[in-house]
Amino acid sequence: MPLSDLREKIENRSAKLAVIGLGYVGLPVAALFAKKSFQVVGVDVKQGRVDLINNGFSPIEGKEPGLAELISEVVASGAFHATIDYEELNDADVVLIDVETPVNADHIPEYQALRSAVKSLSSVLKKGTLVVVESTVMPGTIRNVVLPIIEEEAGMACNKDFYLGNCPERVMPGKLLHNLRTMSRVVGGGTQETAALMADLYGIVVEAEVDTADWITAEIVKTAENTYRDVQIAFANEVALICEALGADVWRVRELVRKSPGREMLLPGAGVGGHCIPKDPWLLASSVQGISVPVRLIPIAREINSEMPNHMFNLLINQIKDLNGKRILILGYAYLSDSDDARNSPSEGLARLIKNAGANIVIHDPFIKEYSGDVIEKAKNCNAAVLMTAHSEYVSIDLKKLKQVMETPIIIDGRNLLNRKQVNDAGLELIRLGDTSRGNE
Ligand SMILES: NC(=O)c1ccc[n+]([C@@H]2O[C@H](COP(=O)([O-])OP(=O)(O)OC[C@H]3O[C@@H](n4cnc5c(N)ncnc54)[C@H](O)[C@@H]3O)[C@@H](O)[C@H]2O)c1
């Protein structure tokens, strides 16, 4: 099918869409296109997830405005269904790929899911289909990994028998639908015509600008924007450590720095987690491995950020010298406020350190079933509480009750969520990351 025919099918909504990987990214994307009158099929390898979706439920917990309702609506209308069977993709006109793309222990891209998805797709791919990789990948992956698999396995030629592009997602848990609709996008095409068609396709769901580019540019833009964030957070964390050493308050320092034009200092914190920020800088850095480009800043920023849970542990042992036999409460296990996403959670590293020091750990997180429950109950007989995630529930935590039930009333706040005066008035001691001013505020 020539691109002009595919364009017509997209314009009149008769194009059949498929989404591979129904996680944080793929599921809302599939639901949004279904809402725009496309027939959409989603494929995942997890039968339980597929069943849940086909029963009209969202498998994503946490505050995700509008998502559960949208899934229920598009499943009920018959516009969207999920499957584990790739055969259902044999008449798809457009296929979006949204599988996970982690890095391994040596920070090298681990493409098991991506390779497997592309291989399975290639075995059923029909001629004339547009394949779009939405997953975040190391620059060069579309040309060097995805393209050869399809050409070889499907026996088809790119730009003749099928079309290939990438459109990296910019979403964030907690704002999935909002970000999908309102954030601008970059589409990379194998040719300008493919990119232009992709821009039209995404323009159906994206209310912001859709910029066209080639594959490598779109790949670099995505990994660079998350690397930028990681480096900026590392800078904020380094300033936080400097403030602690000098008896200052980084939160006040940050507020004042931001008054200088163009100095948008980001938030320091107890650690960076999630599927993206901890690995996307490595995807960018590993794209030039073996080429003589010295990548120095990116690994150092990663190191600074990944050491923040260790720093939280140090703040804890500064208060409680011997943790052996003590009981420590960790507040928040998700990496992000009001989300259930615990991938690469900074709390995991902190919990390991506390456990190794011989203490008992109690974890509370309102969005993770395993750790949910009454926070005051969990705080009983604890020697300290370490706040790792800025869940909104913790803003209104009953501080007086907390003081009553804790063995020693110490809170270590890694997110600047709690008000020092309120905490102190309730009779608790507050240790705040990046702040040794001890309340000269
Ligand atoms: N989570 C985010 O906030 C976010 C934001 C922007 C970009 N991204 C990128 O989007 C991609 C997906 O991330 P995610 O958070 O949605 O991951 P996820 O783990 O939530 O979802 C991936 C899904 O793909 C499925 N899957 C794996 N292999 C498969 C296969 N061979 N066939 C079919 N399904 C398969 C998994 O079972 C899972 O449900 C990643 O590249 C990530 O870097 C994520």
Side-chain angles (χ1 to χ4, degrees), residues 20-26 43-46 49 86 98-101 113 116-117 135-136 169-173 222 275-276 279 343:
I20 302 179
L22 300 173
Y24 286 92
V25 174
V43 194
D44 205 288
V45 286
K46 294 179 189 148
R49 180 165 280 255
Y86 269 86
D98 289 288
V99 297
E100 67 271 22
T101 47
S116 158
S135 298
T136 307
E169 281 296 346
R170 284 178 162 157
V171 297
M172 183 170 179
K222 173 63 199 181
H275 180 50
C276 299
K279 58 98 177 159
R343 289 176 291 178

PDB file of all heavy atoms in Angstrom, residues 20-26 43-46 49 86 98-101 113 116-117 135-136 169-173 222 275-276 279 343, ligand 1:
ATOM      1  N   ILE A  20       1.844  -2.516  20.680  1.00  0.00           N
ATOM      2  CA  ILE A  20       2.545  -3.637  21.320  1.00  0.00           C
ATOM      3  C   ILE A  20       3.135  -3.157  22.648  1.00  0.00           C
ATOM      4  O   ILE A  20       3.953  -2.231  22.668  1.00  0.00           O
ATOM      5  CB  ILE A  20       3.680  -4.170  20.414  1.00  0.00           C
ATOM      6  CG1 ILE A  20       3.108  -4.617  19.063  1.00  0.00           C
ATOM      7  CG2 ILE A  20       4.417  -5.309  21.098  1.00  0.00           C
ATOM      8  CD1 ILE A  20       4.168  -5.131  18.091  1.00  0.00           C
ATOM      9  N   GLY A  21       2.728  -3.791  23.745  1.00  0.00           N
ATOM     10  CA  GLY A  21       3.191  -3.391  25.074  1.00  0.00           C
ATOM     11  C   GLY A  21       2.172  -2.474  25.716  1.00  0.00           C
ATOM     12  O   GLY A  21       2.064  -1.302  25.346  1.00  0.00           O
ATOM     13  N   LEU A  22       1.389  -3.026  26.668  1.00  0.00           N
ATOM     14  CA  LEU A  22       0.298  -2.243  27.263  1.00  0.00           C
ATOM     15  C   LEU A  22       0.660  -1.825  28.688  1.00  0.00           C
ATOM     16  O   LEU A  22      -0.031  -2.144  29.646  1.00  0.00           O
ATOM     17  CB  LEU A  22      -1.001  -3.065  27.235  1.00  0.00           C
ATOM     18  CG  LEU A  22      -1.443  -3.463  25.823  1.00  0.00           C
ATOM     19  CD1 LEU A  22      -2.639  -4.405  25.871  1.00  0.00           C
ATOM     20  CD2 LEU A  22      -1.783  -2.224  24.984  1.00  0.00           C
ATOM     21  N   GLY A  23       1.775  -1.104  28.816  1.00  0.00           N
ATOM     22  CA  GLY A  23       2.216  -0.627  30.129  1.00  0.00           C
ATOM     23  C   GLY A  23       1.812   0.814  30.340  1.00  0.00           C
ATOM     24  O   GLY A  23       0.805   1.286  29.807  1.00  0.00           O
ATOM     25  N   TYR A  24       2.614   1.522  31.121  1.00  0.00           N
ATOM     26  CA  TYR A  24       2.317   2.928  31.443  1.00  0.00           C
ATOM     27  C   TYR A  24       2.154   3.777  30.186  1.00  0.00           C
ATOM     28  O   TYR A  24       1.380   4.714  30.170  1.00  0.00           O
ATOM     29  CB  TYR A  24       3.437   3.523  32.303  1.00  0.00           C
ATOM     30  CG  TYR A  24       3.408   3.031  33.721  1.00  0.00           C
ATOM     31  CD1 TYR A  24       4.147   1.913  34.109  1.00  0.00           C
ATOM     32  CD2 TYR A  24       2.630   3.662  34.687  1.00  0.00           C
ATOM     33  CE1 TYR A  24       4.115   1.446  35.408  1.00  0.00           C
ATOM     34  CE2 TYR A  24       2.592   3.205  35.989  1.00  0.00           C
ATOM     35  CZ  TYR A  24       3.337   2.095  36.342  1.00  0.00           C
ATOM     36  OH  TYR A  24       3.291   1.631  37.638  1.00  0.00           O
ATOM     37  N   VAL A  25       2.890   3.450  29.136  1.00  0.00           N
ATOM     38  CA  VAL A  25       2.845   4.254  27.922  1.00  0.00           C
ATOM     39  C   VAL A  25       1.842   3.684  26.911  1.00  0.00           C
ATOM     40  O   VAL A  25       0.941   4.377  26.438  1.00  0.00           O
ATOM     41  CB  VAL A  25       4.250   4.361  27.294  1.00  0.00           C
ATOM     42  CG1 VAL A  25       4.185   5.071  25.960  1.00  0.00           C
ATOM     43  CG2 VAL A  25       5.201   5.097  28.238  1.00  0.00           C
ATOM     44  N   GLY A  26       2.005   2.399  26.566  1.00  0.00           N
ATOM     45  CA  GLY A  26       1.204   1.821  25.482  1.00  0.00           C
ATOM     46  C   GLY A  26      -0.298   1.814  25.761  1.00  0.00           C
ATOM     47  O   GLY A  26      -1.101   2.063  24.850  1.00  0.00           O
ATOM     48  N   VAL A  43      -1.398  -5.586  22.187  1.00  0.00           N
ATOM     49  CA  VAL A  43      -0.787  -6.892  22.462  1.00  0.00           C
ATOM     50  C   VAL A  43       0.135  -6.779  23.664  1.00  0.00           C
ATOM     51  O   VAL A  43       0.922  -5.831  23.756  1.00  0.00           O
ATOM     52  CB  VAL A  43       0.104  -7.374  21.293  1.00  0.00           C
ATOM     53  CG1 VAL A  43       0.443  -8.849  21.456  1.00  0.00           C
ATOM     54  CG2 VAL A  43      -0.560  -7.137  19.978  1.00  0.00           C
ATOM     55  N   ASP A  44       0.039  -7.728  24.550  1.00  0.00           N
ATOM     56  CA  ASP A  44       0.989  -7.799  25.654  1.00  0.00           C
ATOM     57  C   ASP A  44       1.305  -9.270  25.909  1.00  0.00           C
ATOM     58  O   ASP A  44       0.559 -10.157  25.493  1.00  0.00           O
ATOM     59  CB  ASP A  44       0.423  -7.134  26.915  1.00  0.00           C
ATOM     60  CG  ASP A  44       1.543  -6.648  27.842  1.00  0.00           C
ATOM     61  OD1 ASP A  44       2.208  -7.498  28.482  1.00  0.00           O
ATOM     62  OD2 ASP A  44       1.754  -5.417  27.920  1.00  0.00           O
ATOM     63  N   VAL A  45       2.412  -9.503  26.598  1.00  0.00           N
ATOM     64  CA  VAL A  45       2.772 -10.897  26.896  1.00  0.00           C
ATOM     65  C   VAL A  45       2.154 -11.352  28.224  1.00  0.00           C
ATOM     66  O   VAL A  45       2.193 -12.530  28.548  1.00  0.00           O
ATOM     67  CB  VAL A  45       4.313 -11.082  26.954  1.00  0.00           C
ATOM     68  CG1 VAL A  45       4.900 -11.036  25.558  1.00  0.00           C
ATOM     69  CG2 VAL A  45       4.980 -10.048  27.851  1.00  0.00           C
ATOM     70  N   LYS A  46       1.581 -10.405  28.969  1.00  0.00           N
ATOM     71  CA  LYS A  46       1.023 -10.751  30.280  1.00  0.00           C
ATOM     72  C   LYS A  46      -0.478 -11.010  30.166  1.00  0.00           C
ATOM     73  O   LYS A  46      -1.267 -10.073  29.976  1.00  0.00           O
ATOM     74  CB  LYS A  46       1.271  -9.615  31.268  1.00  0.00           C
ATOM     75  CG  LYS A  46       2.733  -9.405  31.596  1.00  0.00           C
ATOM     76  CD  LYS A  46       2.888  -8.254  32.569  1.00  0.00           C
ATOM     77  CE  LYS A  46       4.343  -7.875  32.760  1.00  0.00           C
ATOM     78  NZ  LYS A  46       4.528  -6.440  33.015  1.00  0.00           N
ATOM     79  N   ARG A  49      -2.817  -9.053  32.601  1.00  0.00           N
ATOM     80  CA  ARG A  49      -2.998  -7.653  32.208  1.00  0.00           C
ATOM     81  C   ARG A  49      -4.031  -7.563  31.070  1.00  0.00           C
ATOM     82  O   ARG A  49      -4.919  -6.716  31.078  1.00  0.00           O
ATOM     83  CB  ARG A  49      -1.635  -7.104  31.773  1.00  0.00           C
ATOM     84  CG  ARG A  49      -1.622  -5.676  31.334  1.00  0.00           C
ATOM     85  CD  ARG A  49      -0.203  -5.143  31.286  1.00  0.00           C
ATOM     86  NE  ARG A  49       0.256  -4.777  32.610  1.00  0.00           N
ATOM     87  CZ  ARG A  49       0.363  -3.512  33.051  1.00  0.00           C
ATOM     88  NH1 ARG A  49       0.103  -2.516  32.260  1.00  0.00           N
ATOM     89  NH2 ARG A  49       0.768  -3.264  34.277  1.00  0.00           N
ATOM     90  N   TYR A  86      -0.217 -12.447  18.544  1.00  0.00           N
ATOM     91  CA  TYR A  86       0.310 -11.560  17.496  1.00  0.00           C
ATOM     92  C   TYR A  86      -0.409 -11.740  16.154  1.00  0.00           C
ATOM     93  O   TYR A  86      -0.359 -10.858  15.307  1.00  0.00           O
ATOM     94  CB  TYR A  86       1.818 -11.773  17.328  1.00  0.00           C
ATOM     95  CG  TYR A  86       2.657 -10.859  18.203  1.00  0.00           C
ATOM     96  CD1 TYR A  86       2.971 -11.214  19.509  1.00  0.00           C
ATOM     97  CD2 TYR A  86       3.138  -9.649  17.728  1.00  0.00           C
ATOM     98  CE1 TYR A  86       3.737 -10.377  20.309  1.00  0.00           C
ATOM     99  CE2 TYR A  86       3.899  -8.806  18.523  1.00  0.00           C
ATOM    100  CZ  TYR A  86       4.201  -9.176  19.805  1.00  0.00           C
ATOM    101  OH  TYR A  86       4.951  -8.341  20.590  1.00  0.00           O
ATOM    102  N   ASP A  98       5.623  -0.188  22.219  1.00  0.00           N
ATOM    103  CA  ASP A  98       5.786   0.494  23.515  1.00  0.00           C
ATOM    104  C   ASP A  98       6.294  -0.451  24.601  1.00  0.00           C
ATOM    105  O   ASP A  98       5.809  -0.411  25.731  1.00  0.00           O
ATOM    106  CB  ASP A  98       4.438   1.077  23.953  1.00  0.00           C
ATOM    107  CG  ASP A  98       4.043   2.263  23.100  1.00  0.00           C
ATOM    108  OD1 ASP A  98       4.659   3.311  23.247  1.00  0.00           O
ATOM    109  OD2 ASP A  98       3.124   2.121  22.270  1.00  0.00           O
ATOM    110  N   VAL A  99       7.246  -1.296  24.261  1.00  0.00           N
ATOM    111  CA  VAL A  99       7.752  -2.231  25.274  1.00  0.00           C
ATOM    112  C   VAL A  99       8.879  -1.569  26.080  1.00  0.00           C
ATOM    113  O   VAL A  99       9.439  -0.553  25.676  1.00  0.00           O
ATOM    114  CB  VAL A  99       8.261  -3.549  24.638  1.00  0.00           C
ATOM    115  CG1 VAL A  99       7.125  -4.274  23.950  1.00  0.00           C
ATOM    116  CG2 VAL A  99       9.414  -3.282  23.668  1.00  0.00           C
ATOM    117  N   GLU A 100       9.216  -2.184  27.210  1.00  0.00           N
ATOM    118  CA  GLU A 100      10.263  -1.637  28.063  1.00  0.00           C
ATOM    119  C   GLU A 100      11.635  -1.756  27.398  1.00  0.00           C
ATOM    120  O   GLU A 100      11.864  -2.690  26.616  1.00  0.00           O
ATOM    121  CB  GLU A 100      10.271  -2.334  29.433  1.00  0.00           C
ATOM    122  CG  GLU A 100      10.667  -3.803  29.432  1.00  0.00           C
ATOM    123  CD  GLU A 100       9.485  -4.763  29.223  1.00  0.00           C
ATOM    124  OE1 GLU A 100       8.452  -4.334  28.675  1.00  0.00           O
ATOM    125  OE2 GLU A 100       9.624  -5.948  29.584  1.00  0.00           O
ATOM    126  N   THR A 101      12.537  -0.823  27.724  1.00  0.00           N
ATOM    127  CA  THR A 101      13.886  -0.825  27.134  1.00  0.00           C
ATOM    128  C   THR A 101      14.917  -0.523  28.235  1.00  0.00           C
ATOM    129  O   THR A 101      15.522   0.542  28.244  1.00  0.00           O
ATOM    130  CB  THR A 101      13.987   0.256  26.029  1.00  0.00           C
ATOM    131  OG1 THR A 101      13.427   1.486  26.545  1.00  0.00           O
ATOM    132  CG2 THR A 101      13.252  -0.138  24.776  1.00  0.00           C
ATOM    133  N   ALA A 113      13.006  -7.421  25.214  1.00  0.00           N
ATOM    134  CA  ALA A 113      11.578  -7.171  24.913  1.00  0.00           C
ATOM    135  C   ALA A 113      11.423  -6.560  23.533  1.00  0.00           C
ATOM    136  O   ALA A 113      10.546  -6.964  22.755  1.00  0.00           O
ATOM    137  CB  ALA A 113      10.970  -6.258  25.982  1.00  0.00           C
ATOM    138  N   SER A 116      12.223  -9.130  20.754  1.00  0.00           N
ATOM    139  CA  SER A 116      11.178 -10.143  20.693  1.00  0.00           C
ATOM    140  C   SER A 116       9.898  -9.566  20.083  1.00  0.00           C
ATOM    141  O   SER A 116       9.250 -10.208  19.247  1.00  0.00           O
ATOM    142  CB  SER A 116      10.951 -10.678  22.112  1.00  0.00           C
ATOM    143  OG  SER A 116       9.703 -11.239  22.235  1.00  0.00           O
ATOM    144  N   ALA A 117       9.546  -8.346  20.467  1.00  0.00           N
ATOM    145  CA  ALA A 117       8.328  -7.711  19.926  1.00  0.00           C
ATOM    146  C   ALA A 117       8.469  -7.495  18.417  1.00  0.00           C
ATOM    147  O   ALA A 117       7.548  -7.795  17.642  1.00  0.00           O
ATOM    148  CB  ALA A 117       8.077  -6.382  20.636  1.00  0.00           C
ATOM    149  N   SER A 135       8.960   3.409  22.198  1.00  0.00           N
ATOM    150  CA  SER A 135       9.876   3.170  23.321  1.00  0.00           C
ATOM    151  C   SER A 135      11.098   4.073  23.188  1.00  0.00           C
ATOM    152  O   SER A 135      11.507   4.424  22.079  1.00  0.00           O
ATOM    153  CB  SER A 135      10.361   1.722  23.310  1.00  0.00           C
ATOM    154  OG  SER A 135       9.293   0.839  23.472  1.00  0.00           O
ATOM    155  N   THR A 136      11.694   4.405  24.319  1.00  0.00           N
ATOM    156  CA  THR A 136      12.925   5.199  24.306  1.00  0.00           C
ATOM    157  C   THR A 136      14.094   4.266  24.008  1.00  0.00           C
ATOM    158  O   THR A 136      14.253   3.240  24.674  1.00  0.00           O
ATOM    159  CB  THR A 136      13.156   5.851  25.678  1.00  0.00           C
ATOM    160  OG1 THR A 136      11.978   6.566  26.034  1.00  0.00           O
ATOM    161  CG2 THR A 136      14.335   6.806  25.640  1.00  0.00           C
ATOM    162  N   GLU A 169       7.840   8.753  23.455  1.00  0.00           N
ATOM    163  CA  GLU A 169       6.807   9.308  24.343  1.00  0.00           C
ATOM    164  C   GLU A 169       7.420  10.245  25.371  1.00  0.00           C
ATOM    165  O   GLU A 169       8.571  10.076  25.771  1.00  0.00           O
ATOM    166  CB  GLU A 169       6.076   8.166  25.061  1.00  0.00           C
ATOM    167  CG  GLU A 169       5.036   7.482  24.207  1.00  0.00           C
ATOM    168  CD  GLU A 169       3.888   8.408  23.808  1.00  0.00           C
ATOM    169  OE1 GLU A 169       3.753   9.498  24.393  1.00  0.00           O
ATOM    170  OE2 GLU A 169       3.143   8.024  22.891  1.00  0.00           O
ATOM    171  N   ARG A 170       6.620  11.214  25.805  1.00  0.00           N
ATOM    172  CA  ARG A 170       7.100  12.171  26.815  1.00  0.00           C
ATOM    173  C   ARG A 170       6.260  12.125  28.085  1.00  0.00           C
ATOM    174  O   ARG A 170       6.277  13.063  28.871  1.00  0.00           O
ATOM    175  CB  ARG A 170       7.054  13.585  26.234  1.00  0.00           C
ATOM    176  CG  ARG A 170       8.167  13.845  25.264  1.00  0.00           C
ATOM    177  CD  ARG A 170       8.090  15.231  24.670  1.00  0.00           C
ATOM    178  NE  ARG A 170       9.370  15.608  24.074  1.00  0.00           N
ATOM    179  CZ  ARG A 170       9.516  16.524  23.133  1.00  0.00           C
ATOM    180  NH1 ARG A 170       8.463  17.179  22.679  1.00  0.00           N
ATOM    181  NH2 ARG A 170      10.702  16.817  22.658  1.00  0.00           N
ATOM    182  N   VAL A 171       5.505  11.035  28.262  1.00  0.00           N
ATOM    183  CA  VAL A 171       4.570  11.003  29.395  1.00  0.00           C
ATOM    184  C   VAL A 171       5.289  10.805  30.724  1.00  0.00           C
ATOM    185  O   VAL A 171       6.478  10.499  30.778  1.00  0.00           O
ATOM    186  CB  VAL A 171       3.545   9.860  29.248  1.00  0.00           C
ATOM    187  CG1 VAL A 171       2.683  10.069  28.035  1.00  0.00           C
ATOM    188  CG2 VAL A 171       4.238   8.502  29.221  1.00  0.00           C
ATOM    189  N   MET A 172       4.487  10.947  31.781  1.00  0.00           N
ATOM    190  CA  MET A 172       4.995  10.732  33.132  1.00  0.00           C
ATOM    191  C   MET A 172       3.839  10.143  33.932  1.00  0.00           C
ATOM    192  O   MET A 172       2.703  10.634  33.816  1.00  0.00           O
ATOM    193  CB  MET A 172       5.383  12.095  33.682  1.00  0.00           C
ATOM    194  CG  MET A 172       5.978  12.084  35.022  1.00  0.00           C
ATOM    195  SD  MET A 172       6.619  13.749  35.296  1.00  0.00           S
ATOM    196  CE  MET A 172       7.220  13.512  36.916  1.00  0.00           C
ATOM    197  N   PRO A 173       4.107   9.078  34.712  1.00  0.00           N
ATOM    198  CA  PRO A 173       3.019   8.526  35.516  1.00  0.00           C
ATOM    199  C   PRO A 173       2.378   9.618  36.375  1.00  0.00           C
ATOM    200  O   PRO A 173       3.053  10.506  36.878  1.00  0.00           O
ATOM    201  CB  PRO A 173       3.722   7.476  36.396  1.00  0.00           C
ATOM    202  CG  PRO A 173       4.896   7.053  35.566  1.00  0.00           C
ATOM    203  CD  PRO A 173       5.354   8.307  34.864  1.00  0.00           C
ATOM    204  N   LYS A 222      15.039  12.556  22.487  1.00  0.00           N
ATOM    205  CA  LYS A 222      14.395  11.910  23.641  1.00  0.00           C
ATOM    206  C   LYS A 222      15.399  11.585  24.751  1.00  0.00           C
ATOM    207  O   LYS A 222      15.176  11.901  25.930  1.00  0.00           O
ATOM    208  CB  LYS A 222      13.676  10.626  23.194  1.00  0.00           C
ATOM    209  CG  LYS A 222      13.108   9.792  24.336  1.00  0.00           C
ATOM    210  CD  LYS A 222      12.029  10.534  25.100  1.00  0.00           C
ATOM    211  CE  LYS A 222      11.801   9.935  26.473  1.00  0.00           C
ATOM    212  NZ  LYS A 222      10.763  10.601  27.230  1.00  0.00           N
ATOM    213  N   HIS A 275      11.342   4.123  35.408  1.00  0.00           N
ATOM    214  CA  HIS A 275      11.905   3.339  34.305  1.00  0.00           C
ATOM    215  C   HIS A 275      12.825   4.191  33.434  1.00  0.00           C
ATOM    216  O   HIS A 275      13.718   3.664  32.770  1.00  0.00           O
ATOM    217  CB  HIS A 275      10.763   2.766  33.463  1.00  0.00           C
ATOM    218  CG  HIS A 275      11.224   1.933  32.305  1.00  0.00           C
ATOM    219  ND1 HIS A 275      12.154   0.926  32.442  1.00  0.00           N
ATOM    220  CD2 HIS A 275      10.905   1.965  30.988  1.00  0.00           C
ATOM    221  CE1 HIS A 275      12.381   0.364  31.261  1.00  0.00           C
ATOM    222  NE2 HIS A 275      11.642   0.989  30.361  1.00  0.00           N
ATOM    223  N   CYS A 276      12.630   5.521  33.437  1.00  0.00           N
ATOM    224  CA  CYS A 276      13.283   6.337  32.400  1.00  0.00           C
ATOM    225  C   CYS A 276      14.559   7.061  32.822  1.00  0.00           C
ATOM    226  O   CYS A 276      15.614   6.820  32.244  1.00  0.00           O
ATOM    227  CB  CYS A 276      12.266   7.339  31.859  1.00  0.00           C
ATOM    228  SG  CYS A 276      10.854   6.524  31.113  1.00  0.00           S
ATOM    229  N   LYS A 279      17.881   5.282  33.340  1.00  0.00           N
ATOM    230  CA  LYS A 279      18.532   4.546  32.237  1.00  0.00           C
ATOM    231  C   LYS A 279      18.691   5.357  30.954  1.00  0.00           C
ATOM    232  O   LYS A 279      19.603   5.076  30.173  1.00  0.00           O
ATOM    233  CB  LYS A 279      17.819   3.218  31.959  1.00  0.00           C
ATOM    234  CG  LYS A 279      16.345   3.287  31.612  1.00  0.00           C
ATOM    235  CD  LYS A 279      16.035   3.227  30.149  1.00  0.00           C
ATOM    236  CE  LYS A 279      14.530   3.238  29.903  1.00  0.00           C
ATOM    237  NZ  LYS A 279      14.125   3.642  28.592  1.00  0.00           N
ATOM    238  N   ARG A 343       9.473   1.146  39.995  1.00  0.00           N
ATOM    239  CA  ARG A 343      10.657   0.676  39.263  1.00  0.00           C
ATOM    240  C   ARG A 343      11.873   1.527  39.633  1.00  0.00           C
ATOM    241  O   ARG A 343      11.782   2.753  39.684  1.00  0.00           O
ATOM    242  CB  ARG A 343      10.395   0.728  37.756  1.00  0.00           C
ATOM    243  CG  ARG A 343       9.399  -0.345  37.335  1.00  0.00           C
ATOM    244  CD  ARG A 343       9.051  -0.249  35.872  1.00  0.00           C
ATOM    245  NE  ARG A 343       8.264   0.927  35.576  1.00  0.00           N
ATOM    246  CZ  ARG A 343       7.860   1.259  34.359  1.00  0.00           C
ATOM    247  NH1 ARG A 343       8.183   0.503  33.341  1.00  0.00           N
ATOM    248  NH2 ARG A 343       7.136   2.336  34.165  1.00  0.00           N
TER     249      ARG A 343
HETATM  250  N1  LIG B   1       6.942   5.136  32.064  1.00  0.00           N
HETATM  251  C1  LIG B   1       7.140   6.341  31.591  1.00  0.00           C
HETATM  252  O1  LIG B   1       6.829   7.328  32.257  1.00  0.00           O
HETATM  253  C2  LIG B   1       7.728   6.555  30.226  1.00  0.00           C
HETATM  254  C3  LIG B   1       7.760   7.847  29.690  1.00  0.00           C
HETATM  255  C4  LIG B   1       8.282   8.059  28.421  1.00  0.00           C
HETATM  256  C5  LIG B   1       8.833   6.989  27.719  1.00  0.00           C
HETATM  257  N2  LIG B   1       8.818   5.737  28.272  1.00  0.00           N
HETATM  258  C6  LIG B   1       9.390   4.639  27.492  1.00  0.00           C
HETATM  259  O2  LIG B   1       8.319   3.859  26.980  1.00  0.00           O
HETATM  260  C7  LIG B   1       8.695   2.474  26.941  1.00  0.00           C
HETATM  261  C8  LIG B   1       7.689   1.660  27.733  1.00  0.00           C
HETATM  262  O3  LIG B   1       7.723   2.060  29.082  1.00  0.00           O
HETATM  263  P1  LIG B   1       6.574   1.668  30.086  1.00  0.00           P
HETATM  264  O4  LIG B   1       6.796   2.473  31.314  1.00  0.00           O
HETATM  265  O5  LIG B   1       5.238   1.718  29.437  1.00  0.00           O
HETATM  266  O6  LIG B   1       6.961   0.144  30.351  1.00  0.00           O
HETATM  267  P2  LIG B   1       6.030  -0.980  31.035  1.00  0.00           P
HETATM  268  O7  LIG B   1       6.955  -1.962  31.601  1.00  0.00           O
HETATM  269  O8  LIG B   1       5.022  -0.320  31.915  1.00  0.00           O
HETATM  270  O9  LIG B   1       5.244  -1.581  29.796  1.00  0.00           O
HETATM  271  C9  LIG B   1       5.835  -2.415  28.845  1.00  0.00           C
HETATM  272  C10 LIG B   1       4.845  -3.496  28.497  1.00  0.00           C
HETATM  273  O10 LIG B   1       5.350  -4.230  27.391  1.00  0.00           O
HETATM  274  C11 LIG B   1       5.033  -5.600  27.585  1.00  0.00           C
HETATM  275  N3  LIG B   1       5.902  -6.419  26.754  1.00  0.00           N
HETATM  276  C12 LIG B   1       7.194  -6.762  26.964  1.00  0.00           C
HETATM  277  N4  LIG B   1       7.657  -7.521  25.972  1.00  0.00           N
HETATM  278  C13 LIG B   1       6.644  -7.667  25.098  1.00  0.00           C
HETATM  279  C14 LIG B   1       6.495  -8.340  23.864  1.00  0.00           C
HETATM  280  N5  LIG B   1       7.496  -9.011  23.322  1.00  0.00           N
HETATM  281  N6  LIG B   1       5.296  -8.289  23.242  1.00  0.00           N
HETATM  282  C15 LIG B   1       4.260  -7.621  23.783  1.00  0.00           C
HETATM  283  N7  LIG B   1       4.331  -6.956  24.952  1.00  0.00           N
HETATM  284  C16 LIG B   1       5.513  -6.972  25.602  1.00  0.00           C
HETATM  285  C17 LIG B   1       5.216  -5.799  29.075  1.00  0.00           C
HETATM  286  O11 LIG B   1       4.551  -6.963  29.517  1.00  0.00           O
HETATM  287  C18 LIG B   1       4.641  -4.499  29.638  1.00  0.00           C
HETATM  288  O12 LIG B   1       3.268  -4.617  29.941  1.00  0.00           O
HETATM  289  C19 LIG B   1      10.119   2.415  27.484  1.00  0.00           C
HETATM  290  O13 LIG B   1      11.020   2.469  26.422  1.00  0.00           O
HETATM  291  C20 LIG B   1      10.236   3.672  28.308  1.00  0.00           C
HETATM  292  O14 LIG B   1      11.559   4.118  28.416  1.00  0.00           O
HETATM  293  C21 LIG B   1       8.267   5.493  29.490  1.00  0.00           C
END
